[in-house]
PDB file of all heavy atoms in Angstrom:
ATOM      1  N   LEU A 172     -10.238  -2.553  21.671  1.00 84.00           N
ATOM      2  CA  LEU A 172      -8.810  -2.601  21.372  1.00 84.00           C
ATOM      3  C   LEU A 172      -8.346  -4.038  21.139  1.00 84.00           C
ATOM      4  O   LEU A 172      -7.486  -4.301  20.284  1.00 84.00           O
ATOM      5  CB  LEU A 172      -8.017  -1.958  22.507  1.00 84.00           C
ATOM      6  CG  LEU A 172      -8.167  -0.437  22.669  1.00 84.00           C
ATOM      7  CD1 LEU A 172      -7.420   0.043  23.913  1.00 84.00           C
ATOM      8  CD2 LEU A 172      -7.642   0.287  21.428  1.00 84.00           C
ATOM      9  N   GLY A 173      -8.935  -4.965  21.896  1.00 82.00           N
ATOM     10  CA  GLY A 173      -8.543  -6.366  21.721  1.00 82.00           C
ATOM     11  C   GLY A 173      -8.987  -6.953  20.401  1.00 82.00           C
ATOM     12  O   GLY A 173      -8.385  -7.893  19.889  1.00 82.00           O
ATOM     13  N   SER A 174     -10.090  -6.398  19.840  1.00 80.00           N
ATOM     14  CA  SER A 174     -10.622  -6.921  18.569  1.00 80.00           C
ATOM     15  C   SER A 174     -10.109  -6.142  17.357  1.00 80.00           C
ATOM     16  O   SER A 174     -10.407  -6.500  16.216  1.00 80.00           O
ATOM     17  CB  SER A 174     -12.161  -6.874  18.581  1.00 80.00           C
ATOM     18  OG  SER A 174     -12.686  -7.586  19.675  1.00 80.00           O
ATOM     19  N   ALA A 175      -9.363  -5.058  17.585  1.00 79.00           N
ATOM     20  CA  ALA A 175      -8.942  -4.181  16.481  1.00 79.00           C
ATOM     21  C   ALA A 175      -7.752  -4.782  15.730  1.00 79.00           C
ATOM     22  O   ALA A 175      -6.987  -5.595  16.264  1.00 79.00           O
ATOM     23  CB  ALA A 175      -8.593  -2.807  17.033  1.00 79.00           C
ATOM     24  N   ASP A 176      -7.627  -4.323  14.483  1.00 78.00           N
ATOM     25  CA  ASP A 176      -6.501  -4.727  13.625  1.00 78.00           C
ATOM     26  C   ASP A 176      -5.941  -3.463  12.975  1.00 78.00           C
ATOM     27  O   ASP A 176      -6.658  -2.738  12.290  1.00 78.00           O
ATOM     28  CB  ASP A 176      -6.987  -5.711  12.553  1.00 78.00           C
ATOM     29  CG  ASP A 176      -5.841  -6.154  11.652  1.00 78.00           C
ATOM     30  OD1 ASP A 176      -4.682  -6.126  12.125  1.00 78.00           O
ATOM     31  OD2 ASP A 176      -6.120  -6.510  10.492  1.00 78.00           O
ATOM     32  N   ILE A 177      -4.645  -3.199  13.213  1.00 75.00           N
ATOM     33  CA  ILE A 177      -3.992  -2.005  12.667  1.00 75.00           C
ATOM     34  C   ILE A 177      -2.951  -2.456  11.642  1.00 75.00           C
ATOM     35  O   ILE A 177      -2.064  -3.258  11.968  1.00 75.00           O
ATOM     36  CB  ILE A 177      -3.346  -1.171  13.782  1.00 75.00           C
ATOM     37  CG1 ILE A 177      -4.414  -0.769  14.834  1.00 75.00           C
ATOM     38  CG2 ILE A 177      -2.677   0.069  13.213  1.00 75.00           C
ATOM     39  CD1 ILE A 177      -3.849  -0.021  16.013  1.00 75.00           C
ATOM     40  N   THR A 178      -3.083  -1.925  10.418  1.00 74.00           N
ATOM     41  CA  THR A 178      -2.166  -2.320   9.343  1.00 74.00           C
ATOM     42  C   THR A 178      -0.846  -1.567   9.460  1.00 74.00           C
ATOM     43  O   THR A 178      -0.713  -0.633  10.266  1.00 74.00           O
ATOM     44  CB  THR A 178      -2.805  -2.011   7.979  1.00 74.00           C
ATOM     45  OG1 THR A 178      -3.004  -0.599   7.885  1.00 74.00           O
ATOM     46  CG2 THR A 178      -4.152  -2.728   7.834  1.00 74.00           C
ATOM     47  N   ASN A 179       0.142  -1.999   8.620  1.00 73.00           N
ATOM     48  CA  ASN A 179       1.468  -1.357   8.647  1.00 73.00           C
ATOM     49  C   ASN A 179       1.430   0.097   8.208  1.00 73.00           C
ATOM     50  O   ASN A 179       2.295   0.891   8.586  1.00 73.00           O
ATOM     51  CB  ASN A 179       2.452  -2.134   7.759  1.00 73.00           C
ATOM     52  CG  ASN A 179       2.795  -3.487   8.384  1.00 73.00           C
ATOM     53  OD1 ASN A 179       2.793  -3.618   9.613  1.00 73.00           O
ATOM     54  ND2 ASN A 179       3.089  -4.472   7.544  1.00 73.00           N
ATOM     55  N   ASP A 180       0.412   0.422   7.422  1.00 71.00           N
ATOM     56  CA  ASP A 180       0.327   1.831   6.993  1.00 71.00           C
ATOM     57  C   ASP A 180      -0.546   2.659   7.935  1.00 71.00           C
ATOM     58  O   ASP A 180      -0.936   3.773   7.617  1.00 71.00           O
ATOM     59  CB  ASP A 180      -0.219   1.919   5.566  1.00 71.00           C
ATOM     60  CG  ASP A 180      -1.580   1.273   5.426  1.00 71.00           C
ATOM     61  OD1 ASP A 180      -2.075   0.672   6.440  1.00 71.00           O
ATOM     62  OD2 ASP A 180      -2.186   1.375   4.352  1.00 71.00           O
ATOM     63  N   GLY A 181      -0.889   2.104   9.110  1.00 69.00           N
ATOM     64  CA  GLY A 181      -1.599   2.860  10.134  1.00 69.00           C
ATOM     65  C   GLY A 181      -3.098   2.849  10.013  1.00 69.00           C
ATOM     66  O   GLY A 181      -3.779   3.646  10.675  1.00 69.00           O
ATOM     67  N   GLN A 182      -3.652   1.948   9.203  1.00 77.00           N
ATOM     68  CA  GLN A 182      -5.101   1.870   9.068  1.00 77.00           C
ATOM     69  C   GLN A 182      -5.693   1.060  10.231  1.00 77.00           C
ATOM     70  O   GLN A 182      -5.217  -0.037  10.558  1.00 77.00           O
ATOM     71  CB  GLN A 182      -5.483   1.219   7.724  1.00 77.00           C
ATOM     72  CG  GLN A 182      -5.085   2.043   6.511  1.00 77.00           C
ATOM     73  CD  GLN A 182      -5.824   3.344   6.454  1.00 77.00           C
ATOM     74  OE1 GLN A 182      -7.001   3.409   6.779  1.00 77.00           O
ATOM     75  NE2 GLN A 182      -5.118   4.406   6.037  1.00 77.00           N
ATOM     76  N   PHE A 183      -6.722   1.631  10.863  1.00 77.00           N
ATOM     77  CA  PHE A 183      -7.398   0.980  12.004  1.00 77.00           C
ATOM     78  C   PHE A 183      -8.631   0.268  11.472  1.00 77.00           C
ATOM     79  O   PHE A 183      -9.544   0.884  10.915  1.00 77.00           O
ATOM     80  CB  PHE A 183      -7.808   2.035  13.042  1.00 77.00           C
ATOM     81  CG  PHE A 183      -8.332   1.432  14.315  1.00 77.00           C
ATOM     82  CD1 PHE A 183      -7.495   1.221  15.404  1.00 77.00           C
ATOM     83  CD2 PHE A 183      -9.678   1.092  14.439  1.00 77.00           C
ATOM     84  CE1 PHE A 183      -7.987   0.675  16.570  1.00 77.00           C
ATOM     85  CE2 PHE A 183     -10.156   0.538  15.619  1.00 77.00           C
ATOM     86  CZ  PHE A 183      -9.308   0.320  16.688  1.00 77.00           C
ATOM     87  N   ASN A 184      -8.656  -1.045  11.629  1.00 77.00           N
ATOM     88  CA  ASN A 184      -9.746  -1.855  11.101  1.00 77.00           C
ATOM     89  C   ASN A 184     -10.418  -2.614  12.251  1.00 77.00           C
ATOM     90  O   ASN A 184      -9.759  -3.189  13.127  1.00 77.00           O
ATOM     91  CB  ASN A 184      -9.250  -2.858  10.054  1.00 77.00           C
ATOM     92  CG  ASN A 184      -8.679  -2.156   8.827  1.00 77.00           C
ATOM     93  OD1 ASN A 184      -9.245  -1.163   8.366  1.00 77.00           O
ATOM     94  ND2 ASN A 184      -7.546  -2.639   8.315  1.00 77.00           N
ATOM     95  N   LEU A 185     -11.733  -2.600  12.210  1.00 74.00           N
ATOM     96  CA  LEU A 185     -12.513  -3.368  13.189  1.00 74.00           C
ATOM     97  C   LEU A 185     -13.803  -3.779  12.499  1.00 74.00           C
ATOM     98  O   LEU A 185     -14.654  -2.941  12.187  1.00 74.00           O
ATOM     99  CB  LEU A 185     -12.828  -2.521  14.433  1.00 74.00           C
ATOM    100  CG  LEU A 185     -13.486  -3.262  15.592  1.00 74.00           C
ATOM    101  CD1 LEU A 185     -12.571  -4.368  16.121  1.00 74.00           C
ATOM    102  CD2 LEU A 185     -13.818  -2.291  16.734  1.00 74.00           C
ATOM    103  N   ALA A 186     -13.917  -5.062  12.217  1.00 70.00           N
ATOM    104  CA  ALA A 186     -15.081  -5.557  11.477  1.00 70.00           C
ATOM    105  C   ALA A 186     -16.333  -5.443  12.334  1.00 70.00           C
ATOM    106  O   ALA A 186     -16.307  -5.706  13.535  1.00 70.00           O
ATOM    107  CB  ALA A 186     -14.851  -7.004  11.067  1.00 70.00           C
ATOM    108  N   PRO A 187     -17.454  -5.047  11.758  1.00 68.00           N
ATOM    109  CA  PRO A 187     -18.701  -4.912  12.519  1.00 68.00           C
ATOM    110  C   PRO A 187     -19.125  -6.206  13.193  1.00 68.00           C
ATOM    111  O   PRO A 187     -19.747  -6.180  14.264  1.00 68.00           O
ATOM    112  CB  PRO A 187     -19.724  -4.477  11.463  1.00 68.00           C
ATOM    113  CG  PRO A 187     -18.901  -3.812  10.407  1.00 68.00           C
ATOM    114  CD  PRO A 187     -17.601  -4.570  10.364  1.00 68.00           C
ATOM    115  N   ARG A 188     -18.761  -7.369  12.589  1.00 71.00           N
ATOM    116  CA  ARG A 188     -19.210  -8.624  13.178  1.00 71.00           C
ATOM    117  C   ARG A 188     -18.501  -8.968  14.477  1.00 71.00           C
ATOM    118  O   ARG A 188     -18.966  -9.824  15.232  1.00 71.00           O
ATOM    119  CB  ARG A 188     -19.024  -9.748  12.150  1.00 71.00           C
ATOM    120  CG  ARG A 188     -17.587 -10.026  11.805  1.00 71.00           C
ATOM    121  CD  ARG A 188     -17.477 -11.213  10.838  1.00 71.00           C
ATOM    122  NE  ARG A 188     -16.090 -11.533  10.549  1.00 71.00           N
ATOM    123  CZ  ARG A 188     -15.345 -10.958   9.625  1.00 71.00           C
ATOM    124  NH1 ARG A 188     -15.900  -9.992   8.869  1.00 71.00           N
ATOM    125  NH2 ARG A 188     -14.084 -11.303   9.432  1.00 71.00           N
ATOM    126  N   VAL A 189     -17.377  -8.335  14.706  1.00 71.00           N
ATOM    127  CA  VAL A 189     -16.627  -8.632  15.935  1.00 71.00           C
ATOM    128  C   VAL A 189     -16.821  -7.541  16.986  1.00 71.00           C
ATOM    129  O   VAL A 189     -16.132  -7.536  18.002  1.00 71.00           O
ATOM    130  CB  VAL A 189     -15.127  -8.788  15.630  1.00 71.00           C
ATOM    131  CG1 VAL A 189     -14.885  -9.971  14.704  1.00 71.00           C
ATOM    132  CG2 VAL A 189     -14.552  -7.500  15.043  1.00 71.00           C
ATOM    133  N   LEU A 190     -17.746  -6.629  16.754  1.00 82.00           N
ATOM    134  CA  LEU A 190     -18.007  -5.601  17.757  1.00 82.00           C
ATOM    135  C   LEU A 190     -18.544  -6.254  19.034  1.00 82.00           C
ATOM    136  O   LEU A 190     -19.453  -7.106  18.976  1.00 82.00           O
ATOM    137  CB  LEU A 190     -19.028  -4.583  17.238  1.00 82.00           C
ATOM    138  CG  LEU A 190     -18.538  -3.669  16.095  1.00 82.00           C
ATOM    139  CD1 LEU A 190     -19.671  -2.785  15.592  1.00 82.00           C
ATOM    140  CD2 LEU A 190     -17.360  -2.821  16.552  1.00 82.00           C
ATOM    141  N   PRO A 191     -18.033  -5.857  20.223  1.00 83.00           N
ATOM    142  CA  PRO A 191     -18.439  -6.526  21.469  1.00 83.00           C
ATOM    143  C   PRO A 191     -19.859  -6.182  21.929  1.00 83.00           C
ATOM    144  O   PRO A 191     -20.422  -6.898  22.755  1.00 83.00           O
ATOM    145  CB  PRO A 191     -17.406  -6.023  22.474  1.00 83.00           C
ATOM    146  CG  PRO A 191     -16.910  -4.741  21.931  1.00 83.00           C
ATOM    147  CD  PRO A 191     -16.965  -4.867  20.454  1.00 83.00           C
ATOM    148  N   GLU A 192     -20.450  -5.103  21.435  1.00 83.00           N
ATOM    149  CA  GLU A 192     -21.804  -4.702  21.829  1.00 83.00           C
ATOM    150  C   GLU A 192     -22.666  -4.564  20.586  1.00 83.00           C
ATOM    151  O   GLU A 192     -22.257  -3.935  19.612  1.00 83.00           O
ATOM    152  CB  GLU A 192     -21.791  -3.361  22.580  1.00 83.00           C
ATOM    153  CG  GLU A 192     -21.286  -3.427  24.008  1.00 83.00           C
ATOM    154  CD  GLU A 192     -22.337  -3.992  24.968  1.00 83.00           C
ATOM    155  OE1 GLU A 192     -23.513  -4.097  24.567  1.00 83.00           O
ATOM    156  OE2 GLU A 192     -21.964  -4.336  26.111  1.00 83.00           O
ATOM    157  N   SER A 193     -23.864  -5.164  20.608  1.00 84.00           N
ATOM    158  CA  SER A 193     -24.754  -5.084  19.449  1.00 84.00           C
ATOM    159  C   SER A 193     -25.236  -3.653  19.213  1.00 84.00           C
ATOM    160  O   SER A 193     -25.563  -3.277  18.080  1.00 84.00           O
ATOM    161  CB  SER A 193     -25.961  -6.004  19.653  1.00 84.00           C
ATOM    162  OG  SER A 193     -26.681  -5.639  20.828  1.00 84.00           O
ATOM    163  N   ASP A 194     -25.292  -2.830  20.284  1.00 85.00           N
ATOM    164  CA  ASP A 194     -25.736  -1.438  20.113  1.00 85.00           C
ATOM    165  C   ASP A 194     -24.767  -0.650  19.250  1.00 85.00           C
ATOM    166  O   ASP A 194     -25.147   0.361  18.649  1.00 85.00           O
ATOM    167  CB  ASP A 194     -25.877  -0.758  21.484  1.00 85.00           C
ATOM    168  CG  ASP A 194     -27.102  -1.247  22.252  1.00 85.00           C
ATOM    169  OD1 ASP A 194     -27.991  -1.841  21.620  1.00 85.00           O
ATOM    170  OD2 ASP A 194     -27.168  -1.032  23.491  1.00 85.00           O
ATOM    171  N   LEU A 195     -23.505  -1.085  19.177  1.00 86.00           N
ATOM    172  CA  LEU A 195     -22.550  -0.390  18.324  1.00 86.00           C
ATOM    173  C   LEU A 195     -22.852  -0.601  16.849  1.00 86.00           C
ATOM    174  O   LEU A 195     -22.407   0.186  15.995  1.00 86.00           O
ATOM    175  CB  LEU A 195     -21.129  -0.859  18.634  1.00 86.00           C
ATOM    176  CG  LEU A 195     -20.575  -0.462  20.012  1.00 86.00           C
ATOM    177  CD1 LEU A 195     -19.223  -1.129  20.253  1.00 86.00           C
ATOM    178  CD2 LEU A 195     -20.449   1.063  20.127  1.00 86.00           C
ATOM    179  N   SER A 196     -23.609  -1.640  16.526  1.00 86.00           N
ATOM    180  CA  SER A 196     -23.931  -1.927  15.123  1.00 86.00           C
ATOM    181  C   SER A 196     -25.251  -1.302  14.700  1.00 86.00           C
ATOM    182  O   SER A 196     -25.541  -1.206  13.508  1.00 86.00           O
ATOM    183  CB  SER A 196     -24.009  -3.446  14.902  1.00 86.00           C
ATOM    184  OG  SER A 196     -22.793  -4.059  15.257  1.00 86.00           O
ATOM    185  N   ARG A 197     -26.086  -0.870  15.661  1.00 88.00           N
ATOM    186  CA  ARG A 197     -27.390  -0.312  15.342  1.00 88.00           C
ATOM    187  C   ARG A 197     -27.283   1.206  15.250  1.00 88.00           C
ATOM    188  O   ARG A 197     -26.845   1.863  16.196  1.00 88.00           O
ATOM    189  CB  ARG A 197     -28.401  -0.708  16.400  1.00 88.00           C
ATOM    190  CG  ARG A 197     -29.848  -0.410  15.984  1.00 88.00           C
ATOM    191  CD  ARG A 197     -30.871  -0.991  16.946  1.00 88.00           C
ATOM    192  NE  ARG A 197     -30.807  -0.355  18.270  1.00 88.00           N
ATOM    193  CZ  ARG A 197     -30.310  -0.907  19.351  1.00 88.00           C
ATOM    194  NH1 ARG A 197     -29.801  -2.145  19.278  1.00 88.00           N
ATOM    195  NH2 ARG A 197     -30.286  -0.262  20.504  1.00 88.00           N
ATOM    196  N   PRO A 198     -27.670   1.808  14.119  1.00 89.00           N
ATOM    197  CA  PRO A 198     -27.515   3.258  13.925  1.00 89.00           C
ATOM    198  C   PRO A 198     -28.260   4.057  15.000  1.00 89.00           C
ATOM    199  O   PRO A 198     -29.411   3.762  15.339  1.00 89.00           O
ATOM    200  CB  PRO A 198     -28.107   3.505  12.530  1.00 89.00           C
ATOM    201  CG  PRO A 198     -27.996   2.182  11.846  1.00 89.00           C
ATOM    202  CD  PRO A 198     -28.200   1.144  12.902  1.00 89.00           C
ATOM    203  N   ASP A 199     -27.546   5.056  15.495  1.00 85.00           N
ATOM    204  CA  ASP A 199     -28.095   6.000  16.488  1.00 85.00           C
ATOM    205  C   ASP A 199     -28.736   5.280  17.677  1.00 85.00           C
ATOM    206  O   ASP A 199     -29.819   5.636  18.137  1.00 85.00           O
ATOM    207  CB  ASP A 199     -29.117   6.916  15.817  1.00 85.00           C
ATOM    208  CG  ASP A 199     -29.279   8.222  16.595  1.00 85.00           C
ATOM    209  OD1 ASP A 199     -28.387   8.552  17.414  1.00 85.00           O
ATOM    210  OD2 ASP A 199     -30.301   8.902  16.407  1.00 85.00           O
ATOM    211  N   SER A 200     -28.047   4.262  18.181  1.00 85.00           N
ATOM    212  CA  SER A 200     -28.551   3.473  19.297  1.00 85.00           C
ATOM    213  C   SER A 200     -28.313   4.146  20.645  1.00 85.00           C
ATOM    214  O   SER A 200     -28.904   3.774  21.648  1.00 85.00           O
ATOM    215  CB  SER A 200     -27.892   2.088  19.298  1.00 85.00           C
ATOM    216  OG  SER A 200     -26.479   2.225  19.504  1.00 85.00           O
ATOM    217  N   GLY A 201     -27.404   5.111  20.662  1.00 85.00           N
ATOM    218  CA  GLY A 201     -27.061   5.764  21.920  1.00 85.00           C
ATOM    219  C   GLY A 201     -25.721   5.340  22.454  1.00 85.00           C
ATOM    220  O   GLY A 201     -25.192   5.963  23.379  1.00 85.00           O
ATOM    221  N   LEU A 202     -25.130   4.284  21.868  1.00 89.00           N
ATOM    222  CA  LEU A 202     -23.792   3.836  22.254  1.00 89.00           C
ATOM    223  C   LEU A 202     -22.900   3.972  21.024  1.00 89.00           C
ATOM    224  O   LEU A 202     -23.194   3.410  19.961  1.00 89.00           O
ATOM    225  CB  LEU A 202     -23.835   2.387  22.727  1.00 89.00           C
ATOM    226  CG  LEU A 202     -22.511   1.794  23.212  1.00 89.00           C
ATOM    227  CD1 LEU A 202     -21.995   2.527  24.441  1.00 89.00           C
ATOM    228  CD2 LEU A 202     -22.674   0.301  23.520  1.00 89.00           C
ATOM    229  N   TYR A 203     -21.794   4.710  21.166  1.00 90.00           N
ATOM    230  CA  TYR A 203     -20.961   5.031  20.009  1.00 90.00           C
ATOM    231  C   TYR A 203     -19.499   4.775  20.336  1.00 90.00           C
ATOM    232  O   TYR A 203     -19.092   4.780  21.503  1.00 90.00           O
ATOM    233  CB  TYR A 203     -21.134   6.505  19.601  1.00 90.00           C
ATOM    234  CG  TYR A 203     -22.578   6.972  19.586  1.00 90.00           C
ATOM    235  CD1 TYR A 203     -23.067   7.834  20.578  1.00 90.00           C
ATOM    236  CD2 TYR A 203     -23.444   6.556  18.580  1.00 90.00           C
ATOM    237  CE1 TYR A 203     -24.378   8.262  20.567  1.00 90.00           C
ATOM    238  CE2 TYR A 203     -24.759   6.994  18.558  1.00 90.00           C
ATOM    239  CZ  TYR A 203     -25.228   7.834  19.553  1.00 90.00           C
ATOM    240  OH  TYR A 203     -26.515   8.256  19.539  1.00 90.00           O
ATOM    241  N   ALA A 204     -18.726   4.585  19.247  1.00 90.00           N
ATOM    242  CA  ALA A 204     -17.271   4.443  19.380  1.00 90.00           C
ATOM    243  C   ALA A 204     -16.613   5.007  18.122  1.00 90.00           C
ATOM    244  O   ALA A 204     -17.155   4.899  17.019  1.00 90.00           O
ATOM    245  CB  ALA A 204     -16.888   2.979  19.572  1.00 90.00           C
ATOM    246  N   MET A 205     -15.442   5.604  18.308  1.00 90.00           N
ATOM    247  CA  MET A 205     -14.677   6.124  17.164  1.00 90.00           C
ATOM    248  C   MET A 205     -13.202   6.196  17.547  1.00 90.00           C
ATOM    249  O   MET A 205     -12.856   6.192  18.735  1.00 90.00           O
ATOM    250  CB  MET A 205     -15.192   7.505  16.744  1.00 90.00           C
ATOM    251  CG  MET A 205     -14.941   8.604  17.755  1.00 90.00           C
ATOM    252  SD  MET A 205     -15.515  10.220  17.160  1.00 90.00           S
ATOM    253  CE  MET A 205     -15.009  11.271  18.518  1.00 90.00           C
ATOM    254  N   VAL A 206     -12.371   6.258  16.500  1.00 90.00           N
ATOM    255  CA  VAL A 206     -10.924   6.355  16.688  1.00 90.00           C
ATOM    256  C   VAL A 206     -10.441   7.596  15.969  1.00 90.00           C
ATOM    257  O   VAL A 206     -10.788   7.821  14.791  1.00 90.00           O
ATOM    258  CB  VAL A 206     -10.204   5.105  16.164  1.00 90.00           C
ATOM    259  CG1 VAL A 206      -8.691   5.259  16.299  1.00 90.00           C
ATOM    260  CG2 VAL A 206     -10.682   3.853  16.899  1.00 90.00           C
ATOM    261  N   LEU A 207      -9.669   8.413  16.675  1.00 89.00           N
ATOM    262  CA  LEU A 207      -9.111   9.646  16.103  1.00 89.00           C
ATOM    263  C   LEU A 207      -7.595   9.514  16.025  1.00 89.00           C
ATOM    264  O   LEU A 207      -6.972   8.856  16.871  1.00 89.00           O
ATOM    265  CB  LEU A 207      -9.457  10.856  16.979  1.00 89.00           C
ATOM    266  CG  LEU A 207     -10.946  11.104  17.275  1.00 89.00           C
ATOM    267  CD1 LEU A 207     -11.102  12.300  18.212  1.00 89.00           C
ATOM    268  CD2 LEU A 207     -11.725  11.325  15.989  1.00 89.00           C
TER     269      LEU A 207
END
C-alpha cells in the first residue's frame, strides 16, 4: 500500500521494480498479491 499509486480515474498502479518482496516478481513463486 505504501508503494502503490492510484490515479484520479481509479487505476491502481504498482511498478514491479518497487515490489517489497522478490518472490512477488517471480512467476508461481508461492507468494502472491492482487487488488480487487
Side-chain angles (χ1 to χ4, degrees):
L172 291 175
S174 303
D176 180 26
I177 303 176
T178 63
N179 290 330
D180 58 356
Q182 295 295 322
F183 188 95
N184 296 319
L185 187 62
R188 66 177 183 275
V189 297
L190 291 175
E192 285 283 347
S193 59
D194 287 343
L195 292 173
S196 302
R197 192 171 66 254
D199 203 18
S200 63
L202 182 63
Y203 316 107
M205 68 178 183
V206 177
L207 304 177

